[in-house]
Each structure stands twice: as structure tokens, then as C-alpha cells.
Amino acid sequence: RFIPAHLLENAEFITHAEKILEYPMSDRENNRLDERAKTLLTQYRDEATLVVTGRLHAALPCLAMGIPVILPAIIWTFVLNG
């Protein structure tokens, strides 16, 4: 509803939610999650032309790589107000 239809036509929806398979986390599990993060960052670097996210941990690396980011205020209003 906030994103123009022409941008949504080629959009890819990605989640950072990753199930933890071992708790407490082993070195193997930590390495698996590190590799997942590296894969996502590489995908952003190589493919993204615009990122729309309410997650700072997604937005900040994209900004650092020069990828435009939209950080919707409505998400932060909810987070801050509760």
C-alpha cells in the first residue's frame, strides 16, 4: 500500500529470520548463521537496487554499500510507541 506497484513488480521479499537449530549455540551453528548473513549481504551487494526494510541490521549495511534504503517511519512509530 505504501510502495508503488511498478517497484513491487520486480521485488523480492527476503527475511532475516533464521531458525536456531542448536541451543546453546555451538561453533558449528554460529558458523552456519555467519554464512547465512554473508550470503544475504552478498545478495544485497550484487542484486539490490533499492531496499525497503524496518530492520536497522538490514538497512545500515546496505547504506554502507551505497544501496538506497527506505526505512518506513510507520514501523518505527510502532516500535517506539509500542
Side-chain angles (χ1 to χ4, degrees), residues 20-32:
I20 296 175
L21 302 177
E22 297 176 15
Y23 188 82
M25 282 180 51
S26 65
D27 287 342
R28 181 180 64 190
E29 180 68 355
N30 191 50
N31 290 340
R32 183 185 72 82

Side-chain angles (χ1 to χ4, degrees), residues 41-53:
L41 291 171
T42 299
Q43 184 177 6
Y44 292 153
R45 183 196 67 209
D46 295 345
E47 300 176 22
T49 56
L50 172 68
V51 172
V52 180
T53 183

Side-chain angles (χ1 to χ4, degrees), residues 13-82:
F13 296 87
I14 298 172
T15 181
H16 284 205
E18 189 70 29
K19 192 172 193 171
I20 296 175
L21 302 177
E22 297 176 15
Y23 188 82
M25 282 180 51
S26 65
D27 287 342
R28 181 180 64 190
E29 180 68 355
N30 191 50
N31 290 340
R32 183 185 72 82
L33 294 172
D34 280 348
E35 286 303 314
R36 174 68 177 137
K38 289 176 189 174
T39 298
L40 283 170
L41 291 171
T42 299
Q43 184 177 6
Y44 292 153
R45 183 196 67 209
D46 295 345
E47 300 176 22
T49 56
L50 172 68
V51 172
V52 180
T53 183
R55 308 275 183 157
L56 285 176
H57 66 273
L60 294 177
C62 290
L63 288 170
M65 290 186 277
I67 301 164
V69 172
I70 296 175
L71 193 62
I74 193 163
I75 293 171
W76 285 103
T77 300
F78 173 77
V79 170
L80 295 175
N81 294 332

